[in-house]
Amino acid sequence: MNKKYNHYKVTLEHVYSPANEDLHRRVEVVFDNHDNLFNIIDLMQQKDLFGDMGQSTEFAIGLKMLGEVMLKNKDNALFEEFMPAFKDFMKKLKASY
């Protein structure tokens, strides 16, 4: 963990299965991010890009988690083609607020 970053813990719990499958065990992940994610969640909820506060929250968390992994692994070949499009997407998103 980077002491200069914000630290977070996300817990994912499988609460329902439409196919009556066994529910998966709970997963927790502790991670750091250079941004204050709660400020970004608030901003996305205010912007309400999807007409659904829950989706705004999902979007903010998912996007920031993906972006931070990409930053930490920017030399990984997996992101080679995706990184330029992601940067353009983030510029467009930031311009909207």
Side-chain angles (χ1 to χ4, degrees):
M1 289 283 170
N2 186 329
K3 291 190 179 211
K4 294 181 181 180
Y5 285 15
N6 297 290
H7 302 266
Y8 299 96
K9 178 169 71 171
V10 171
T11 303
L12 181 64
E13 195 169 344
H14 190 184
V15 296
Y16 172 76
S17 171
N20 289 326
E21 297 172 342
D22 289 340
L23 300 181
H24 294 271
R25 65 175 174 76
R26 181 175 57 192
V27 174
E28 291 185 354
V29 61
V30 177
F31 64 99
D32 55 11
N33 194 288
H34 66 278
D35 287 319
N36 182 322
L37 298 186
F38 289 96
N39 290 345
I40 293 171
I41 290 168
D42 290 343
L43 185 61
M44 290 293 103
Q45 287 178 341
Q46 290 170 15
K47 197 72 175 155
D48 196 19
L49 298 172
F50 311 108
D52 181 306
M53 291 296 178
Q55 286 184 15
S56 295
T57 303
E58 288 177 60
F59 176 74
I61 294 169
L63 187 64
K64 291 307 299 178
M65 290 180 78
L66 172 64
E68 197 70 27
V69 169
M70 289 175 56
L71 280 173
K72 291 175 182 173
N73 296 279
K74 60 185 171 222
D75 296 328
N76 189 312
L78 179 64
F79 300 127
E80 186 177 332
E81 293 177 18
F82 183 58
M83 187 69 79
F86 187 79
K87 286 180 181 179
D88 289 344
F89 174 80
M90 289 303 294
K91 287 177 188 174
K92 182 177 179 180
L93 177 63
K94 289 178 179 182
S96 74
Y97 52 85

